[in-house]
Amino acid sequence: MMTLARDLWSGLLDLVYPTYCLACGAADENYLCAKCVEMIDIIGDMHCYKCAIPCETYICSDCLSREFAFDWACSAGLYEGALRKAIHALKYDMHIAIVDQLAELMIRCYPHKELNGDVDMVIPIPIHRNRLIERGFNQSEELCRLLCKRIYVPMETDALFRIRNTRHQVSLPEDKRMLNIKGAFAVRQPDLVMGRRVLLVDDVFTTGSTLNEAAKVLKESGAESVYVYTLARNF
């Protein structure tokens, strides 16, 4: 019902207001114009398998001394320029109409992330119900909808829950992010993830604290492996 309402609202807005690129402001039939799409810095095959940062080795120097609960991480593009503006338009300005183009970027990059055939289900990072009411949608879940249809892997939204309404991570340093997100997730139906290979999806990977906490809870509930795929990698 929420998806139907979103599509109807977006269609109504298109009739009233001409579309324009939400990244550069140019008049365009899409919410992310072709020029801006071309400017997005795609992360290729060379990236750290632990934290998804672009590098020329299998693991970056920072990850030599740190551990994550998830087994592998990758991102579609760098969190800068047009991609950063597009994600801000989605998350903070509630321009949900741009989500399909952002999901298309994740789909286009997915075959190059060494994940094909390695996952049984996709779980979007959940947001707390209070934030869902405030925003009207979960951007990670919206990105997942089209991604899952195209990679033919089911999306599971009944396993992982946000049980604590945390502060926004964006304003916190790395050590405070870890404390802020600790204990924020729970798995209410462990049988859904028991022995399964899970792909966690979120919009942005910054320090990995949120994804790590979610992966930790899933592993504790019996998930065989947890991989991470985000739209953007911030650094």
Side-chain angles (χ1 to χ4, degrees), residues 14-216:
D14 287 346
L15 289 174
V16 178
Y17 302 102
T19 56
Y20 63 95
C21 176
L22 295 174
C24 71
D28 197 271
E29 61 181 7
N30 296 311
Y31 290 99
L32 192 59
C33 70
K35 183 177 180 180
C36 284
V37 170
E38 290 178 3
M39 292 174 63
I40 293 174
D41 197 347
I42 300 298
I43 298 175
D45 297 335
M46 300 301 294
H47 63 85
C48 174
Y49 83 96
K50 276 191 173 184
C51 73
I53 204 76
C55 67
E56 296 183 357
T57 56
Y58 189 64
I59 180 171
C60 71
S61 57
D62 289 338
C63 284
L64 290 173
S65 59
R66 65 181 174 185
E67 291 293 332
F68 289 111
F70 46 81
D71 301 274
W72 181 277
C74 50
S75 301
L78 295 182
Y79 186 60
E80 60 184 19
L83 184 55
R84 181 187 180 96
K85 291 178 181 178
I87 292 173
H88 274 234
L90 171 64
K91 282 181 73 171
Y92 305 119
D93 298 328
M94 277 61 116
H95 284 293
I96 196 169
I98 201 174
V99 75
D100 288 349
Q101 284 183 272
L102 295 177
E104 285 288 351
L105 177 64
M106 297 185 75
I107 292 164
R108 175 158 58 91
C109 296
Y110 187 82
H112 307 288
K113 301 304 180 183
E114 302 183 41
L115 294 170
N116 283 336
D118 290 336
V119 296
D120 301 309
M121 65 172 64
V122 180
I123 296 181
I125 289 291
I127 60 177
H128 193 268
R129 62 180 178 274
N130 290 353
R131 194 159 296 166
L132 181 62
I133 293 171
E134 175 187 327
R135 184 176 294 162
F137 62 90
N138 175 2
Q139 71 279 358
S140 298
E141 185 173 331
E142 294 299 326
L143 288 168
C144 271
R145 291 188 195 280
L146 189 55
L147 174 66
C148 289
K149 288 180 182 178
R150 298 281 285 276
I151 66 173
Y152 304 105
V153 178
M155 178 173 69
E156 179 58 68
T157 58
D158 292 328
L160 186 66
F161 289 85
R162 195 94 167 220
I163 58 175
R164 190 164 59 82
N165 193 13
T166 58
R167 293 173 57 190
H168 287 287
Q169 293 278 81
V170 68
S171 61
L172 300 175
E174 184 171 357
D175 58 337
K176 295 294 178 63
R177 289 183 181 217
M178 295 175 63
L179 291 173
N180 182 52
I181 204 67
K182 187 175 178 60
F185 299 107
V187 174
R188 294 178 180 169
Q189 299 184 56
D191 57 299
L192 292 177
V193 300
M194 181 72 68
R196 309 301 292 277
R197 299 168 299 174
V198 177
L199 178 64
L200 271 177
V201 168
D202 204 2
D203 55 346
V204 182
F205 185 127
T206 301
T207 65
S209 299
T210 299
L211 293 157
N212 187 66
E213 185 68 18
K216 178 183 175 182

